[in-house]
Amino acid sequence: MNLNATLFAQLLVFFILAWFTMKFVWPPIMKALDDRAKKITDGLAAADKAKTDLALAEKKVVEELRKARESAGEFRTSAEKQGGVIIDEARVEAARIITQAREAAEKEAGAAAQRAKETLRDHVAQLAVAGASQILRREINPQVHAELLANLKRELS
Amino acid sequence: MATGHEAAAQHAPTASEYIVHHLTHLNTSGHAQNVIVDWGLFNLDTLFWSILLGVLGMFLFARVASKATSGVPGRLQAAVEIIIEMVNTQAKGIVHNAESRKFVAPLALTAFVWIFLMNAMDLVPLDLLPLAWQTATGNEHAYMRVVPTADLNGTLSLSIGVLIISLYYNLKIKGIGGWTHELLTAPFGSHPLLMPANLALNLIEYVAKTVSHGMRLFGNLYAGELIFMLIALMGASLSASFTGVSLFAGHLIAGTAWAIFHILIIVLQAFIFMMLTLVYIGQAHESH
């Protein structure tokens, strides 16, 4: 428990070591610690942001899928509707064509029958004239008896 | 170089001689210091071991600091960071001045690391380094103490260093006028008749703080070392008798127990010294 000049030497050593620590040990370590703290903060913030972004993206994906499904449904409905319209139109058109064709055919048939009737009437008139002339034994002038013949034709029709 | 007890030359040392020899410093006088205070002497062993440990410790820290990365730290860097972070946290809680902390926190770190290393010399087998020194010098009575904090010079120099720094911050923060005013008026009041009492109490407080600061560390380590010596004396009594064998077994058990307990002491005392350093310097920043 003796005191001697060691005390002063130790005092000096203590201050030199403290100065050395202040100069060369403390600042670099503190800087490293602060930088790391900043890095970790930034990393956590980035992770949070990524999480938010992911959630947003997922929400968007769901929304887009829903939209796509909706519009596909719309497409199908309108296509079905349009298809129905086209079929209906075609049906109407077909019916119209059929009716037209039938009418034309009937008209044609009517005309043909009329023509045949007229021809037949002519023949019959001639036959009748020929028969009558034979019966009367005298020639009937067609120009003179045209009215008579026309009347006869009318009666036959 | 120093010589030991001349009387011990011819026979194995007695218990008392063994302990006295172990508690004597190797100094520049060539013999044991025989007066309480002698400002003409240096304790060579204290100087050697404390400077060696201080330089080693600070070199290690500086090496880690120069390679410090803000990325993933290695184990050594992580260990250094834990210590520095601990000191920094304490400094922030006690010294409320960021500018002062630039010096005070590294000072506290130095005190903690240096004192821990010096205290840790207590765990080196008691006779190993003295014996090596005696073998090296060829003088079987050469003195060598390896625990610088078990030397009052070593611990009082640290506490006086802390005192000087706290006086410096008193002056810096409060100014010569403010500090003088505080010394004269705190704690009893500003009545002129109370000024001598205030001043006396403040001076006593500074002396008491400094002496107790240094003495606490010294006392713990000195006592610890002494107990290691007493334990070593048990082992030295090994003989063929039942008592001899029992004492040897006692050495093993007590030595182990005390060394394990001492791991706590050396860290705790270094920590207490560091905390009081911060507290005393922190007080210099606060007005009464």
Side-chain angles (χ1 to χ4, degrees), chain B residues 179-236:
Chain B
W179 189 39
T180 312
H181 181 257
E182 183 182 304
L183 285 177
L184 290 174
T185 58
F188 297 128
S190 55
H191 194 282
L193 281 178
L194 291 172
M195 284 182 176
N198 284 329
L199 182 63
L201 196 79
N202 279 316
L203 292 183
I204 289 169
E205 192 188 329
Y206 276 115
V207 172
K209 273 199 250 180
T210 303
V211 171
S212 67
H213 197 193
M215 277 288 192
R216 177 182 304 106
L217 178 59
F218 164 74
N220 271 281
L221 271 291
Y222 190 84
E225 206 183 17
L226 200 58
I227 289 173
F228 274 123
M229 288 173 202
L230 294 174
I231 291 169
L233 282 172
M234 290 167 73

Side-chain angles (χ1 to χ4, degrees), chain A residues 1-11 14-15 17-18 21-22 24 26 28-30 32-33 35-36 39, chain B residues 33 36-39 41 43 50 58 65 69-71 77 81 85 88 102-103 105 107 110 153 157-158 161 165:
Chain A
M1 254 195 75
N2 302 319
L3 284 175
N4 59 33
T6 312
L7 196 140
F8 304 113
Q10 289 288 90
L11 190 56
F14 182 39
F15 283 147
L17 289 177
T21 308
M22 178 183 73
F24 299 109
W26 197 267
I29 298 273
M30 273 319 193
L33 287 175
D35 287 355
R36 188 177 313 134
K39 266 188 197 171
Chain B
Q33 185 175 337
I36 297 291
V37 179
D38 184 347
W39 298 122
L41 293 182
N43 287 339
S50 64
M58 289 306 119
T69 164
S70 61
Q77 191 190 330
E81 281 175 4
E85 196 65 79
N88 196 33
K102 280 184 186 168
F103 174 64
L107 178 85
T110 311
N153 293 297
S157 66
L158 290 165
I165 287 160

